Amino acid sequence: NAGVMQNPRHLVRRRGQEARLRCSPMKGHSHVYWYRQLPEEGLKFMVYLQKENIIDESGMPKERFSAEFPKEGPSILRIQQVVRGDSAAYFCASSQNRGESYEQYFGPGTRLTVT
Amino acid sequence: AQRVTQPEKLLSVFKGAPVELKCNYSYSGSPELFWYVQYSRQRLQLLLRHISRESIKGFTADLNKGETSFHLKKPFAQEEDSAMYYCALGANNLFFGTGTRLTVIP
């Protein structure tokens, strides 16, 4: 089991471009979480998805950000018209179930730099 | 609103010395608390959770509801304990503190 995979590991975008970050959960995991880590800050929850459903997007900025987890393929975090403030590390995590366990398995992260 | 506070960004101790990483939380419900660790060039991983009351790699953490704390302790620090430690609160979602970088000096 290769664990949670994220790609790309590093992404550079100019202001106004779109950024697409991909996350493949661990085998057998159907719950995916996205977090953002700004410099000098902790990880902040963005969105929680199950296959084909957004369960909780309370941490997502209202504009320009969207996430999906299709029936087939990886989960995608999409940032439209990126701005410098979007520069951060974006982490994906997955879990087998939700229940009482918050044991989440994290990917290596994607470091987004907006120039 | 839920909040996790880790007051120390950096903590250095000598090998063999006791170590305590502080974590305080704010949550009106019944909390689930966790410690996650990130070793150099590795992914963030779960270290321990309060409900299991276990000791992992010599680390323990006791939930103190009166003081709203969940400090991480180890009686004798080892060099391999050097890492970034995050306290997290489970309340529908996981809420992380800003982390403490522990350096164990040989």
Side-chain angles (χ1 to χ4, degrees), chain A residues 6-109:
Chain A
Q6 286 188 252
N7 68 81
R9 294 293 305 277
H10 300 275
L11 182 61
V12 179
R13 284 285 178 266
R14 290 202 182 105
R15 276 182 299 170
Q17 291 185 317
E18 179 180 285
R20 278 184 177 239
L21 288 65
R22 293 176 192 77
C23 169
S24 296
M26 281 182 71
K27 190 175 180 181
H29 286 191
S30 58
H31 300 248
V32 165
Y33 314 81
W34 284 94
Y35 296 86
R36 177 166 65 173
Q37 185 175 35
L38 295 168
E40 305 299 316
E41 294 188 19
L43 283 79
K44 286 200 163 53
F45 166 79
M46 298 181 75
V47 62
Y48 159 45
L49 309 104
Q50 283 182 281
K51 284 283 186 183
E52 301 184 277
N53 285 307
I54 296 175
I55 307 301
D56 184 344
E57 56 182 349
S58 56
M60 287 274 270
K62 295 281 187 281
E63 296 175 351
R64 301 185 298 109
F65 285 72
S66 62
E68 62 178 15
F69 189 16
K71 190 176 178 183
E72 302 290 339
S75 175
I76 308 277
L77 179 68
R78 186 177 171 213
I79 312 172
Q80 294 178 293
Q81 299 175 314
V82 295
V83 301
R84 287 230 171 94
D86 297 333
S87 294
Y90 291 83
F91 291 91
C92 168
S94 73
S95 68
Q96 194 168 32
N97 52 48
R98 191 75 189 277
E100 294 180 354
S101 170
Y102 289 92
E103 182 163 3
Q104 298 180 11
Y105 294 82
F106 281 79

Side-chain angles (χ1 to χ4, degrees), chain A residues 2-4 35 37 40-43 45 48 56 58 98 100-104 106-108, chain B residues 9 32 34 36 38 43-46 49 51 86 90-99:
Chain A
V4 178
Y35 296 86
Q37 185 175 35
E40 305 299 316
E41 294 188 19
L43 283 79
F45 166 79
Y48 159 45
D56 184 344
S58 56
R98 191 75 189 277
E100 294 180 354
S101 170
Y102 289 92
E103 182 163 3
Q104 298 180 11
F106 281 79
Chain B
K9 287 179 87 169
E32 286 194 58
F34 305 81
Y36 275 78
Q38 188 171 26
R43 304 171 183 209
L44 192 64
Q45 57 187 286
L46 179 66
R49 69 195 87 185
I51 56 172
Y86 293 94
N92 281 333
N93 298 300
L94 270 180
F95 295 87
F96 285 85
T98 49

Side-chain angles (χ1 to χ4, degrees), chain B residues 30-74:
Chain B
S30 186
E32 286 194 58
L33 276 299
F34 305 81
W35 277 98
Y36 275 78
V37 61
Q38 188 171 26
Y39 300 103
S40 179
R41 296 196 187 90
Q42 293 188 28
R43 304 171 183 209
L44 192 64
Q45 57 187 286
L46 179 66
L47 179 63
L48 55 78
R49 69 195 87 185
H50 91 271
I51 56 172
S52 57
R53 294 182 164 271
E54 55 197 346
S55 172
I56 303 292
K57 300 185 180 184
F59 284 98
T60 58
D62 290 319
L63 177 60
N64 186 323
K65 291 186 179 179
E67 295 182 358
T68 59
S69 68
F70 188 57
H71 304 326
L72 184 68
K73 300 177 185 178
K74 185 170 182 177

Side-chain angles (χ1 to χ4, degrees), chain B residues 10-14 78-79 81-83 101-106:
Chain B
L10 302 170
L11 181 63
S12 294
V13 300
F14 284 101
Q78 304 298 315
E79 287 180 64
D81 297 329
S82 294
R101 182 170 297 281
L102 173 66
T103 301
V104 180
I105 304 164

